[in-house]
mmCIF file of all heavy atoms in Angstrom:
data_model
loop_
_atom_site.group_PDB
_atom_site.id
_atom_site.type_symbol
_atom_site.label_atom_id
_atom_site.label_comp_id
_atom_site.label_asym_id
_atom_site.label_seq_id
_atom_site.Cartn_x
_atom_site.Cartn_y
_atom_site.Cartn_z
ATOM 1 N N TYR A 1 9.657 -3.313 -10.187
ATOM 2 C CA TYR A 1 9.998 -3.495 -11.609
ATOM 3 C C TYR A 1 9.182 -2.561 -12.486
ATOM 4 O O TYR A 1 9.573 -2.234 -13.624
ATOM 5 C CB TYR A 1 9.763 -4.935 -12.002
ATOM 6 C CG TYR A 1 10.960 -5.852 -11.789
ATOM 7 C CD1 TYR A 1 10.859 -6.930 -10.938
ATOM 8 C CD2 TYR A 1 12.161 -5.602 -12.449
ATOM 9 C CE1 TYR A 1 11.946 -7.790 -10.745
ATOM 10 C CE2 TYR A 1 13.267 -6.462 -12.247
ATOM 11 C CZ TYR A 1 13.114 -7.521 -11.395
ATOM 12 O OH TYR A 1 14.222 -8.369 -11.197
ATOM 13 N N ARG A 2 8.001 -2.144 -12.015
ATOM 14 C CA ARG A 2 7.130 -1.285 -12.798
ATOM 15 C C ARG A 2 7.318 0.187 -12.538
ATOM 16 O O ARG A 2 6.627 1.036 -13.090
ATOM 17 C CB ARG A 2 5.670 -1.670 -12.490
ATOM 18 C CG ARG A 2 5.306 -3.127 -12.834
ATOM 19 C CD ARG A 2 3.963 -3.503 -12.201
ATOM 20 N NE ARG A 2 3.512 -4.813 -12.604
ATOM 21 C CZ ARG A 2 3.842 -5.959 -12.002
ATOM 22 N NH1 ARG A 2 4.719 -5.960 -11.010
ATOM 23 N NH2 ARG A 2 3.412 -7.134 -12.437
ATOM 24 N N PHE A 3 8.280 0.514 -11.676
ATOM 25 C CA PHE A 3 8.529 1.925 -11.312
ATOM 26 C C PHE A 3 8.812 2.733 -12.578
ATOM 27 O O PHE A 3 9.570 2.349 -13.435
ATOM 28 C CB PHE A 3 9.743 2.003 -10.364
ATOM 29 C CG PHE A 3 9.964 3.372 -9.792
ATOM 30 C CD1 PHE A 3 9.202 3.854 -8.750
ATOM 31 C CD2 PHE A 3 10.962 4.191 -10.304
ATOM 32 C CE1 PHE A 3 9.421 5.113 -8.215
ATOM 33 C CE2 PHE A 3 11.210 5.441 -9.781
ATOM 34 C CZ PHE A 3 10.411 5.926 -8.740
ATOM 35 N N GLY A 4 8.138 3.892 -12.708
ATOM 36 C CA GLY A 4 8.273 4.735 -13.859
ATOM 37 C C GLY A 4 7.243 4.466 -14.954
ATOM 38 O O GLY A 4 7.208 5.154 -15.961
ATOM 39 N N THR A 5 6.332 3.495 -14.744
ATOM 40 C CA THR A 5 5.287 3.190 -15.690
ATOM 41 C C THR A 5 3.923 3.416 -15.093
ATOM 42 O O THR A 5 3.782 3.494 -13.873
ATOM 43 C CB THR A 5 5.355 1.720 -16.156
ATOM 44 O OG1 THR A 5 4.947 0.852 -15.082
ATOM 45 C CG2 THR A 5 6.794 1.357 -16.570
ATOM 46 N N ASP A 6 2.884 3.490 -15.901
ATOM 47 C CA ASP A 6 1.527 3.650 -15.395
ATOM 48 C C ASP A 6 1.085 2.455 -14.557
ATOM 49 O O ASP A 6 0.286 2.606 -13.647
ATOM 50 C CB ASP A 6 0.543 3.847 -16.586
ATOM 51 C CG ASP A 6 0.676 5.198 -17.262
ATOM 52 O OD1 ASP A 6 1.281 6.108 -16.653
ATOM 53 O OD2 ASP A 6 0.218 5.319 -18.402
ATOM 54 N N GLU A 7 1.615 1.276 -14.871
ATOM 55 C CA GLU A 7 1.267 0.053 -14.105
ATOM 56 C C GLU A 7 1.638 0.203 -12.615
ATOM 57 O O GLU A 7 1.012 -0.378 -11.762
ATOM 58 C CB GLU A 7 2.002 -1.159 -14.673
ATOM 59 C CG GLU A 7 1.541 -1.666 -16.009
ATOM 60 C CD GLU A 7 2.366 -2.859 -16.422
ATOM 61 O OE1 GLU A 7 3.400 -2.673 -17.078
ATOM 62 O OE2 GLU A 7 1.971 -3.981 -16.105
ATOM 63 N N TYR A 8 2.683 0.987 -12.345
ATOM 64 C CA TYR A 8 3.165 1.134 -10.995
ATOM 65 C C TYR A 8 2.092 1.730 -10.058
ATOM 66 O O TYR A 8 2.080 1.490 -8.862
ATOM 67 C CB TYR A 8 4.411 1.997 -10.983
ATOM 68 C CG TYR A 8 5.170 1.982 -9.678
ATOM 69 C CD1 TYR A 8 5.822 0.841 -9.232
ATOM 70 C CD2 TYR A 8 5.223 3.127 -8.876
ATOM 71 C CE1 TYR A 8 6.556 0.833 -8.033
ATOM 72 C CE2 TYR A 8 5.938 3.129 -7.686
ATOM 73 C CZ TYR A 8 6.580 1.983 -7.269
ATOM 74 O OH TYR A 8 7.263 1.988 -6.061
ATOM 75 N N LEU A 9 1.195 2.504 -10.651
ATOM 76 C CA LEU A 9 0.147 3.206 -9.861
ATOM 77 C C LEU A 9 -0.940 2.243 -9.372
ATOM 78 O O LEU A 9 -1.679 2.581 -8.438
ATOM 79 C CB LEU A 9 -0.471 4.322 -10.682
ATOM 80 C CG LEU A 9 0.466 5.438 -11.192
ATOM 81 C CD1 LEU A 9 -0.285 6.391 -12.099
ATOM 82 C CD2 LEU A 9 1.078 6.164 -9.996
ATOM 83 N N ASP A 10 -1.070 1.090 -10.021
ATOM 84 C CA ASP A 10 -2.132 0.143 -9.679
ATOM 85 C C ASP A 10 -1.550 -1.019 -8.866
ATOM 86 O O ASP A 10 -1.604 -2.170 -9.284
ATOM 87 C CB ASP A 10 -2.833 -0.349 -10.930
ATOM 88 C CG ASP A 10 -4.139 -1.047 -10.647
ATOM 89 O OD1 ASP A 10 -4.697 -0.865 -9.549
ATOM 90 O OD2 ASP A 10 -4.640 -1.768 -11.535
ATOM 91 N N HIS A 11 -1.005 -0.710 -7.752
ATOM 92 C CA HIS A 11 -0.250 -1.660 -6.908
ATOM 93 C C HIS A 11 -1.165 -2.313 -5.859
ATOM 94 O O HIS A 11 -2.279 -1.844 -5.597
ATOM 95 C CB HIS A 11 0.885 -0.916 -6.234
ATOM 96 C CG HIS A 11 0.368 0.320 -5.499
ATOM 97 N ND1 HIS A 11 -0.254 0.281 -4.289
ATOM 98 C CD2 HIS A 11 0.414 1.650 -5.870
ATOM 99 C CE1 HIS A 11 -0.596 1.518 -3.927
ATOM 100 N NE2 HIS A 11 -0.226 2.346 -4.845
ATOM 101 N N PRO A 12 -0.687 -3.388 -5.236
ATOM 102 C CA PRO A 12 -1.380 -3.878 -4.050
ATOM 103 C C PRO A 12 -1.385 -2.850 -2.955
ATOM 104 O O PRO A 12 -0.547 -1.927 -2.923
ATOM 105 C CB PRO A 12 -0.526 -5.136 -3.660
ATOM 106 C CG PRO A 12 0.248 -5.471 -4.912
ATOM 107 C CD PRO A 12 0.505 -4.180 -5.578
ATOM 108 N N TYR A 13 -2.264 -3.033 -1.978
ATOM 109 C CA TYR A 13 -2.355 -2.081 -0.865
ATOM 110 C C TYR A 13 -2.977 -2.728 0.351
ATOM 111 O O TYR A 13 -3.596 -3.789 0.239
ATOM 112 C CB TYR A 13 -3.127 -0.824 -1.273
ATOM 113 C CG TYR A 13 -4.561 -1.057 -1.616
ATOM 114 C CD1 TYR A 13 -5.565 -0.897 -0.677
ATOM 115 C CD2 TYR A 13 -4.933 -1.446 -2.927
ATOM 116 C CE1 TYR A 13 -6.922 -1.129 -1.004
ATOM 117 C CE2 TYR A 13 -6.256 -1.673 -3.244
ATOM 118 C CZ TYR A 13 -7.238 -1.504 -2.278
ATOM 119 O OH TYR A 13 -8.548 -1.738 -2.615
ATOM 120 N N PHE A 14 -2.837 -2.113 1.506
ATOM 121 C CA PHE A 14 -3.295 -2.699 2.742
ATOM 122 C C PHE A 14 -4.760 -2.334 3.036
ATOM 123 O O PHE A 14 -5.185 -1.180 2.814
ATOM 124 C CB PHE A 14 -2.476 -2.163 3.939
ATOM 125 C CG PHE A 14 -1.058 -2.616 3.953
ATOM 126 C CD1 PHE A 14 -0.031 -1.841 3.432
ATOM 127 C CD2 PHE A 14 -0.715 -3.830 4.531
ATOM 128 C CE1 PHE A 14 1.258 -2.265 3.433
ATOM 129 C CE2 PHE A 14 0.611 -4.255 4.552
ATOM 130 C CZ PHE A 14 1.597 -3.473 3.998
ATOM 131 N N SER A 15 -5.487 -3.297 3.545
ATOM 132 C CA SER A 15 -6.775 -2.977 4.159
ATOM 133 C C SER A 15 -6.525 -2.330 5.498
ATOM 134 O O SER A 15 -5.439 -2.482 6.090
ATOM 135 C CB SER A 15 -7.632 -4.243 4.326
ATOM 136 O OG SER A 15 -7.063 -5.083 5.312
ATOM 137 N N LYS A 16 -7.550 -1.648 6.041
ATOM 138 C CA LYS A 16 -7.440 -1.040 7.347
ATOM 139 C C LYS A 16 -7.223 -2.143 8.387
ATOM 140 O O LYS A 16 -6.403 -1.967 9.299
ATOM 141 C CB LYS A 16 -8.703 -0.283 7.690
ATOM 142 C CG LYS A 16 -8.697 0.360 9.048
ATOM 143 C CD LYS A 16 -9.940 1.149 9.320
ATOM 144 C CE LYS A 16 -9.912 1.819 10.697
ATOM 145 N NZ LYS A 16 -11.141 2.618 10.983
ATOM 146 N N GLU A 17 -7.894 -3.273 8.214
ATOM 147 C CA GLU A 17 -7.750 -4.376 9.173
ATOM 148 C C GLU A 17 -6.321 -4.930 9.227
ATOM 149 O O GLU A 17 -5.824 -5.315 10.286
ATOM 150 C CB GLU A 17 -8.715 -5.503 8.808
ATOM 151 C CG GLU A 17 -10.190 -5.166 8.967
ATOM 152 C CD GLU A 17 -10.719 -4.247 7.878
ATOM 153 O OE1 GLU A 17 -10.100 -4.144 6.803
ATOM 154 O OE2 GLU A 17 -11.764 -3.615 8.118
ATOM 155 N N THR A 18 -5.664 -4.941 8.066
ATOM 156 C CA THR A 18 -4.266 -5.441 8.006
ATOM 157 C C THR A 18 -3.339 -4.453 8.700
ATOM 158 O O THR A 18 -2.430 -4.873 9.431
ATOM 159 C CB THR A 18 -3.833 -5.668 6.560
ATOM 160 O OG1 THR A 18 -4.796 -6.475 5.899
ATOM 161 C CG2 THR A 18 -2.510 -6.366 6.523
ATOM 162 N N ALA A 19 -3.566 -3.158 8.521
ATOM 163 C CA ALA A 19 -2.764 -2.167 9.182
ATOM 164 C C ALA A 19 -2.906 -2.286 10.722
ATOM 165 O O ALA A 19 -1.926 -2.237 11.454
ATOM 166 C CB ALA A 19 -3.134 -0.773 8.708
ATOM 167 N N VAL A 20 -4.132 -2.495 11.166
ATOM 168 C CA VAL A 20 -4.407 -2.697 12.598
ATOM 169 C C VAL A 20 -3.686 -3.952 13.103
ATOM 170 O O VAL A 20 -3.058 -3.950 14.151
ATOM 171 C CB VAL A 20 -5.923 -2.743 12.886
ATOM 172 C CG1 VAL A 20 -6.195 -3.188 14.307
ATOM 173 C CG2 VAL A 20 -6.599 -1.412 12.582
ATOM 174 N N PHE A 21 -3.808 -5.008 12.315
ATOM 175 C CA PHE A 21 -3.171 -6.299 12.654
ATOM 176 C C PHE A 21 -1.656 -6.125 12.883
ATOM 177 O O PHE A 21 -1.108 -6.617 13.902
ATOM 178 C CB PHE A 21 -3.451 -7.289 11.523
ATOM 179 C CG PHE A 21 -2.967 -8.690 11.779
ATOM 180 C CD1 PHE A 21 -3.650 -9.555 12.573
ATOM 181 C CD2 PHE A 21 -1.806 -9.135 11.127
ATOM 182 C CE1 PHE A 21 -3.181 -10.850 12.787
ATOM 183 C CE2 PHE A 21 -1.356 -10.417 11.324
ATOM 184 C CZ PHE A 21 -2.038 -11.303 12.164
ATOM 185 N N LEU A 22 -0.993 -5.422 11.988
ATOM 186 C CA LEU A 22 0.442 -5.230 12.092
ATOM 187 C C LEU A 22 0.797 -4.258 13.228
ATOM 188 O O LEU A 22 1.750 -4.489 13.980
ATOM 189 C CB LEU A 22 1.005 -4.698 10.768
ATOM 190 C CG LEU A 22 1.139 -5.740 9.648
ATOM 191 C CD1 LEU A 22 1.275 -5.057 8.293
ATOM 192 C CD2 LEU A 22 2.328 -6.636 9.930
ATOM 193 N N ALA A 23 0.010 -3.180 13.347
ATOM 194 C CA ALA A 23 0.307 -2.200 14.405
ATOM 195 C C ALA A 23 0.174 -2.816 15.784
ATOM 196 O O ALA A 23 0.950 -2.521 16.685
ATOM 197 C CB ALA A 23 -0.651 -1.019 14.249
ATOM 198 N N LYS A 24 -0.780 -3.697 15.947
ATOM 199 C CA LYS A 24 -1.012 -4.355 17.254
ATOM 200 C C LYS A 24 0.156 -5.264 17.638
ATOM 201 O O LYS A 24 0.348 -5.582 18.818
ATOM 202 C CB LYS A 24 -2.306 -5.144 17.272
ATOM 203 C CG LYS A 24 -3.556 -4.248 17.421
ATOM 204 C CD LYS A 24 -4.820 -5.087 17.526
ATOM 205 C CE LYS A 24 -6.015 -4.185 17.825
ATOM 206 N NZ LYS A 24 -7.291 -5.002 17.885
ATOM 207 N N MET A 25 0.915 -5.696 16.634
ATOM 208 C CA MET A 25 2.082 -6.544 16.925
ATOM 209 C C MET A 25 3.303 -5.719 17.369
ATOM 210 O O MET A 25 4.349 -6.258 17.723
ATOM 211 C CB MET A 25 2.443 -7.373 15.732
ATOM 212 C CG MET A 25 1.549 -8.607 15.571
ATOM 213 S SD MET A 25 2.171 -9.768 14.324
ATOM 214 C CE MET A 25 1.494 -8.969 12.840
ATOM 215 N N GLY A 26 3.130 -4.377 17.369
ATOM 216 C CA GLY A 26 4.182 -3.530 17.866
ATOM 217 C C GLY A 26 5.350 -3.298 16.935
ATOM 218 O O GLY A 26 6.460 -2.994 17.379
ATOM 219 N N ILE A 27 5.117 -3.398 15.618
ATOM 220 C CA ILE A 27 6.199 -3.163 14.682
ATOM 221 C C ILE A 27 6.563 -1.661 14.734
ATOM 222 O O ILE A 27 5.792 -0.821 15.086
ATOM 223 C CB ILE A 27 5.870 -3.620 13.257
ATOM 224 C CG1 ILE A 27 4.755 -2.763 12.600
ATOM 225 C CG2 ILE A 27 5.488 -5.090 13.254
ATOM 226 C CD1 ILE A 27 4.577 -3.039 11.149
ATOM 227 N N SER A 28 7.800 -1.392 14.277
ATOM 228 C CA SER A 28 8.277 -0.019 14.304
ATOM 229 C C SER A 28 8.200 0.684 12.963
ATOM 230 O O SER A 28 7.880 1.869 12.878
ATOM 231 C CB SER A 28 9.772 -0.031 14.755
ATOM 232 O OG SER A 28 10.261 1.310 14.894
ATOM 233 N N ILE A 29 8.479 -0.072 11.880
ATOM 234 C CA ILE A 29 8.428 0.482 10.502
ATOM 235 C C ILE A 29 7.823 -0.568 9.588
ATOM 236 O O ILE A 29 8.141 -1.744 9.669
ATOM 237 C CB ILE A 29 9.812 0.894 9.983
ATOM 238 C CG1 ILE A 29 10.337 2.135 10.774
ATOM 239 C CG2 ILE A 29 9.795 1.177 8.508
ATOM 240 C CD1 ILE A 29 11.697 2.637 10.318
ATOM 241 N N ILE A 30 6.944 -0.108 8.685
ATOM 242 C CA ILE A 30 6.441 -0.941 7.605
ATOM 243 C C ILE A 30 7.023 -0.392 6.297
ATOM 244 O O ILE A 30 6.972 0.809 6.055
ATOM 245 C CB ILE A 30 4.900 -0.984 7.550
ATOM 246 C CG1 ILE A 30 4.370 -1.915 6.451
ATOM 247 C CG2 ILE A 30 4.291 0.421 7.432
ATOM 248 C CD1 ILE A 30 4.562 -3.354 6.726
ATOM 249 N N ALA A 31 7.588 -1.250 5.477
ATOM 250 C CA ALA A 31 8.242 -0.834 4.241
ATOM 251 C C ALA A 31 7.622 -1.616 3.057
ATOM 252 O O ALA A 31 7.378 -2.825 3.183
ATOM 253 C CB ALA A 31 9.741 -1.060 4.275
ATOM 254 N N VAL A 32 7.384 -0.938 1.949
ATOM 255 C CA VAL A 32 6.761 -1.576 0.776
ATOM 256 C C VAL A 32 7.534 -1.245 -0.486
ATOM 257 O O VAL A 32 8.101 -0.157 -0.581
ATOM 258 C CB VAL A 32 5.284 -1.170 0.615
ATOM 259 C CG1 VAL A 32 4.462 -1.611 1.842
ATOM 260 C CG2 VAL A 32 5.129 0.337 0.415
ATOM 261 N N ASP A 33 7.515 -2.181 -1.443
ATOM 262 C CA ASP A 33 8.214 -1.979 -2.694
ATOM 263 C C ASP A 33 7.261 -1.477 -3.788
ATOM 264 O O ASP A 33 7.420 -1.727 -4.955
ATOM 265 C CB ASP A 33 8.933 -3.223 -3.144
ATOM 266 C CG ASP A 33 8.026 -4.412 -3.389
ATOM 267 O OD1 ASP A 33 6.794 -4.286 -3.166
ATOM 268 O OD2 ASP A 33 8.539 -5.486 -3.837
ATOM 269 N N PHE A 34 6.273 -0.661 -3.347
ATOM 270 C CA PHE A 34 5.339 0.003 -4.274
ATOM 271 C C PHE A 34 5.083 1.425 -3.778
ATOM 272 O O PHE A 34 5.684 1.833 -2.784
ATOM 273 C CB PHE A 34 4.046 -0.799 -4.455
ATOM 274 C CG PHE A 34 3.482 -1.437 -3.218
ATOM 275 C CD1 PHE A 34 2.626 -0.757 -2.411
ATOM 276 C CD2 PHE A 34 3.837 -2.752 -2.848
ATOM 277 C CE1 PHE A 34 2.097 -1.325 -1.264
ATOM 278 C CE2 PHE A 34 3.296 -3.344 -1.725
ATOM 279 C CZ PHE A 34 2.426 -2.641 -0.920
ATOM 280 N N MET A 35 4.196 2.136 -4.410
ATOM 281 C CA MET A 35 4.091 3.572 -4.186
ATOM 282 C C MET A 35 3.460 3.994 -2.884
ATOM 283 O O MET A 35 3.779 5.054 -2.344
ATOM 284 C CB MET A 35 3.350 4.235 -5.371
ATOM 285 C CG MET A 35 3.152 5.725 -5.229
ATOM 286 S SD MET A 35 2.640 6.534 -6.750
ATOM 287 C CE MET A 35 4.214 6.761 -7.565
ATOM 288 N N ASN A 36 2.535 3.182 -2.338
ATOM 289 C CA ASN A 36 1.649 3.708 -1.342
ATOM 290 C C ASN A 36 1.068 2.560 -0.532
ATOM 291 O O ASN A 36 0.614 1.561 -1.109
ATOM 292 C CB ASN A 36 0.520 4.444 -2.103
ATOM 293 C CG ASN A 36 -0.410 5.227 -1.237
ATOM 294 O OD1 ASN A 36 -0.377 5.198 -0.004
ATOM 295 N ND2 ASN A 36 -1.299 5.964 -1.877
ATOM 296 N N VAL A 37 1.032 2.678 0.814
ATOM 297 C CA VAL A 37 0.401 1.585 1.609
ATOM 298 C C VAL A 37 -1.111 1.606 1.411
ATOM 299 O O VAL A 37 -1.767 0.607 1.676
ATOM 300 C CB VAL A 37 0.740 1.743 3.096
ATOM 301 C CG1 VAL A 37 2.230 1.443 3.332
ATOM 302 C CG2 VAL A 37 0.320 3.061 3.684
ATOM 303 N N ASP A 38 -1.674 2.728 0.950
ATOM 304 C CA ASP A 38 -3.075 2.789 0.541
ATOM 305 C C ASP A 38 -3.140 2.704 -0.982
ATOM 306 O O ASP A 38 -2.108 2.756 -1.673
ATOM 307 C CB ASP A 38 -3.702 4.090 1.058
ATOM 308 C CG ASP A 38 -3.977 4.095 2.489
ATOM 309 O OD1 ASP A 38 -4.798 3.269 2.969
ATOM 310 O OD2 ASP A 38 -3.335 4.889 3.245
ATOM 311 N N SER A 39 -4.350 2.592 -1.490
ATOM 312 C CA SER A 39 -4.526 2.537 -2.984
ATOM 313 C C SER A 39 -4.296 3.910 -3.585
ATOM 314 O O SER A 39 -4.957 4.874 -3.217
ATOM 315 C CB SER A 39 -5.940 2.051 -3.273
ATOM 316 O OG SER A 39 -6.189 2.162 -4.671
ATOM 317 N N THR A 40 -3.358 3.975 -4.502
ATOM 318 C CA THR A 40 -3.153 5.215 -5.251
ATOM 319 C C THR A 40 -4.270 5.474 -6.201
ATOM 320 O O THR A 40 -4.689 6.625 -6.445
ATOM 321 C CB THR A 40 -1.800 5.143 -5.996
ATOM 322 O OG1 THR A 40 -0.742 5.002 -5.041
ATOM 323 C CG2 THR A 40 -1.551 6.388 -6.806
ATOM 324 N N LYS A 41 -4.847 4.428 -6.771
ATOM 325 C CA LYS A 41 -5.937 4.600 -7.726
ATOM 326 C C LYS A 41 -7.225 5.104 -7.020
ATOM 327 O O LYS A 41 -7.920 5.971 -7.527
ATOM 328 C CB LYS A 41 -6.242 3.261 -8.406
ATOM 329 C CG LYS A 41 -5.183 2.822 -9.410
ATOM 330 C CD LYS A 41 -5.369 3.563 -10.727
ATOM 331 C CE LYS A 41 -4.502 2.979 -11.840
ATOM 332 N NZ LYS A 41 -4.707 3.665 -13.119
ATOM 333 N N LEU A 42 -7.542 4.546 -5.866
ATOM 334 C CA LEU A 42 -8.788 4.845 -5.184
ATOM 335 C C LEU A 42 -8.714 6.091 -4.292
ATOM 336 O O LEU A 42 -9.709 6.693 -3.981
ATOM 337 C CB LEU A 42 -9.275 3.638 -4.358
ATOM 338 C CG LEU A 42 -9.556 2.357 -5.112
ATOM 339 C CD1 LEU A 42 -9.928 1.250 -4.164
ATOM 340 C CD2 LEU A 42 -10.668 2.582 -6.151
ATOM 341 N N GLU A 43 -7.482 6.421 -3.844
ATOM 342 C CA GLU A 43 -7.259 7.532 -2.944
ATOM 343 C C GLU A 43 -8.161 7.424 -1.709
ATOM 344 O O GLU A 43 -8.793 8.400 -1.295
ATOM 345 C CB GLU A 43 -7.422 8.884 -3.642
ATOM 346 C CG GLU A 43 -6.341 9.197 -4.647
ATOM 347 C CD GLU A 43 -6.363 10.631 -5.117
ATOM 348 O OE1 GLU A 43 -7.449 11.201 -5.215
ATOM 349 O OE2 GLU A 43 -5.278 11.199 -5.322
ATOM 350 N N GLN A 44 -8.213 6.239 -1.109
ATOM 351 C CA GLN A 44 -8.926 6.019 0.136
ATOM 352 C C GLN A 44 -7.867 5.785 1.204
ATOM 353 O O GLN A 44 -7.154 4.807 1.173
ATOM 354 C CB GLN A 44 -9.867 4.820 0.014
ATOM 355 C CG GLN A 44 -10.989 5.027 -0.991
ATOM 356 C CD GLN A 44 -11.840 3.780 -1.163
ATOM 357 O OE1 GLN A 44 -11.482 2.703 -0.731
ATOM 358 N NE2 GLN A 44 -12.990 3.944 -1.804
ATOM 359 N N TRP A 45 -7.812 6.705 2.188
ATOM 360 C CA TRP A 45 -6.741 6.668 3.150
ATOM 361 C C TRP A 45 -7.160 5.915 4.393
ATOM 362 O O TRP A 45 -7.768 6.462 5.314
ATOM 363 C CB TRP A 45 -6.345 8.130 3.490
ATOM 364 C CG TRP A 45 -6.077 8.933 2.252
ATOM 365 C CD1 TRP A 45 -6.820 9.946 1.746
ATOM 366 C CD2 TRP A 45 -5.019 8.753 1.309
ATOM 367 N NE1 TRP A 45 -6.316 10.427 0.584
ATOM 368 C CE2 TRP A 45 -5.188 9.694 0.274
ATOM 369 C CE3 TRP A 45 -3.916 7.860 1.234
ATOM 370 C CZ2 TRP A 45 -4.343 9.815 -0.779
ATOM 371 C CZ3 TRP A 45 -3.049 7.965 0.185
ATOM 372 C CH2 TRP A 45 -3.256 8.909 -0.816
ATOM 373 N N GLN A 46 -6.826 4.630 4.424
ATOM 374 C CA GLN A 46 -7.182 3.790 5.554
ATOM 375 C C GLN A 46 -5.948 3.304 6.349
ATOM 376 O O GLN A 46 -5.947 3.302 7.560
ATOM 377 C CB GLN A 46 -7.978 2.581 5.068
ATOM 378 C CG GLN A 46 -9.266 2.966 4.339
ATOM 379 C CD GLN A 46 -10.121 1.752 3.948
ATOM 380 O OE1 GLN A 46 -10.459 0.956 4.792
ATOM 381 N NE2 GLN A 46 -10.369 1.579 2.686
#
């Protein structure tokens, strides 16, 4: 709903531990309704 606004950039994001948790379950694709699985504000690629 915030797409196209500055608010959209400050979205929820995954911790490294959560990414590991999901990957270990053998999923094929992760999809999100925000800009980035990592933090766009912090630019920390985990």
Side-chain angles (χ1 to χ4, degrees):
Y1 272 119
R2 300 167 174 85
F3 188 78
T5 72
D6 289 342
E7 288 180 272
Y8 192 69
L9 301 174
D10 195 17
H11 51 78
Y13 63 95
F14 292 95
S15 68
K16 181 178 180 179
E17 293 75 19
T18 309
V20 170
F21 184 78
L22 284 162
K24 283 184 175 178
M25 281 191 277
I27 69 171
S28 183
I29 290 181
I30 183 72
V32 297
D33 61 357
F34 41 88
M35 178 166 277
N36 188 354
V37 293
D38 286 295
S39 171
T40 299
K41 287 282 191 179
L42 298 177
E43 290 193 326
Q44 294 176 347
W45 309 110
Q46 301 184 57

